[in-house]
Amino acid sequence: MSGKLRLAGVIGHPISHSKSPRLHGHWLKRYGIDGHYIPMNVAPDDLARTIELLPQLGFAGINVTLPHKEAVTALCDEITPRAKAVGAVNTVIFQEDGSILGDNTDGYGFMANLYAGAPNWRANTGPAVVLGAGGAARGVVAALLDAGAPQIILSNRTVERATALQSEFGARVVVSAWDDVGDAIKGANLLVNTTSLGMDGQPALPVSLDHLGPETLVTDIVYAPLKTQLLIDAAARGCAVVDGLGMLLHQAAPGFETWFGQKPIVDDELRDAVLS
Ligand code: ATR
């Protein structure tokens, strides 16, 4: 590809719901960059040849969303340690030498969102309670351990999935029964919902907040609605709360910087652009 035009995009199946094109599109416009960020609907059977073809077409890299985040790891020549820890890739970089680098910026996005929304909060000052044990929980647990959380209390409806994460991530992770996790919230440094509960059209989170005190920072990876019932209830109990949209915005920044050569800013203008 000649000239300065830069190309990146996102692959998923389906892809129409992705907010990434709007997000990157806002930054491209804001920084006056000659580039495009393109959503691509890629069926699982087409994944391997798509990954092979995109760099030949001039793409600098892509984001990867459901259902390809795990499968794409096997198609990368190199995987960053943080992607390895999670076992999934959300950011692919087609490097100058022709090799393919897989990264995972979800954990970075999660932590950057917390630090932006609660600047005085520190991960290392007490236990974190993580609700859920799916793919999203994996990224959150890895990021919290990396940030120095002394203990992670993990709770999931299907306890086997929580136990599997515990054996993978080690002794700083302890498992709490789903029905008892309300007790474990007492005195926590952080409470995170990584389940889909509380999302528009999903049931409410059935966890008791009776023991939730104002010292606990509360966040939700669900961002539709922006203020989930968990965040509303936590704020009513005096807790600082951080909504989940910022995680989506912050996880996009490292890829944008690599592909388009400009470190982007996450601000209210970007939030409005993504929500509109
Ligand atoms: P993701 O990759 O987005 O985390 P996932 O792997 O399907 O998606 O995980 C969804 C999470 O939401 C899981 O922790 C799931 O609990 P189970 O492992 O027991 O399925 C949780 N979840 C979804 N619906 C739930 C419900 N009705 N009650 C309790 N937990 C639920």
Side-chain angles (χ1 to χ4, degrees):
M1 175 140 269
S2 63
K4 286 186 303 183
L5 179 73
R6 292 163 195 256
L7 292 176
V10 55
I11 60 166
H13 187 66
I15 199 63
S16 54
H17 65 282
S18 173
K19 293 195 183 298
S20 295
R22 194 179 282 261
L23 206 170
H24 287 268
H26 173 83
W27 279 334
L28 285 171
K29 204 166 144 197
R30 173 180 186 149
Y31 297 112
I33 293 169
D34 186 13
H36 295 288
Y37 183 94
I38 300 160
M40 289 168 279
N41 191 352
V42 175
D45 282 352
D46 297 329
L47 180 64
R49 60 193 178 111
T50 301
I51 296 293
E52 196 184 339
L53 189 60
L54 286 175
Q56 294 173 26
L57 295 175
F59 278 72
I62 46 166
N63 285 124
V64 181
T65 188
L66 297 178
H68 303 311
K69 284 179 155 190
E70 284 87 21
V72 86
T73 57
L75 303 170
C76 296
D77 298 304
E78 206 186 322
I79 301 281
T80 62
R82 62 189 181 184
K84 204 170 200 165
V86 182
V89 159
N90 77 335
T91 304
V92 172
I93 296 142
F94 300 127
Q95 304 188 107
E96 296 276 319
D97 64 0
S99 65
I100 300 175
L101 175 65
D103 191 10
N104 191 312
T105 64
D106 285 335
Y108 161 81
F110 175 75
M111 295 307 304
N113 184 37
L114 287 188
Y115 292 136
N120 296 323
W121 180 85
R122 293 291 173 270
N124 61 3
T125 55
V129 175
V130 176
L131 306 175
R138 206 170 245 283
V140 165
V141 168
L144 285 171
L145 288 175
D146 195 45
Q151 186 180 55
I152 293 177
I153 300 163
L154 189 60
S155 190
N156 195 49
R157 173 182 60 178
T158 309
V159 71
E160 291 79 11
R161 290 184 92 188
T163 315
L165 278 194
Q166 177 192 36
S167 42
E168 209 177 304
F169 283 106
R172 272 196 287 160
V173 178
V174 298
V175 172
S176 168
W178 186 239
D179 291 337
D180 302 336
V181 68
D183 297 338
I185 290 170
K186 192 173 184 179
N189 185 38
L190 177 71
L191 171 63
V192 190
N193 174 44
T194 75
T195 76
S196 47
L197 297 173
M199 193 185 289
D200 287 332
Q202 295 287 323
L205 196 64
V207 170
S208 164
L209 300 183
D210 290 351
H211 296 299
L212 180 66
E215 68 283 2
T216 304
L217 173 64
V218 180
T219 189
D220 201 327
I221 68 156
V222 171
Y223 58 81
L226 214 45
K227 289 282 175 216
T228 60
Q229 197 58 47
L230 170 65
L231 298 184
I232 293 167
D233 293 345
R237 301 184 74 87
C239 300
V241 300
V242 176
D243 72 50
L245 182 65
M247 178 180 174
L248 173 79
L249 307 183
H250 283 281
Q251 64 77 33
F256 186 90
E257 184 175 359
T258 306
W259 305 321
F260 298 113
Q262 165 78 50
K263 192 181 175 74
I265 286 173
V266 172
D267 58 8
D268 286 345
E269 222 181 281
L270 179 69
R271 281 176 76 92
D272 293 345
V274 169
L275 289 172
S276 66

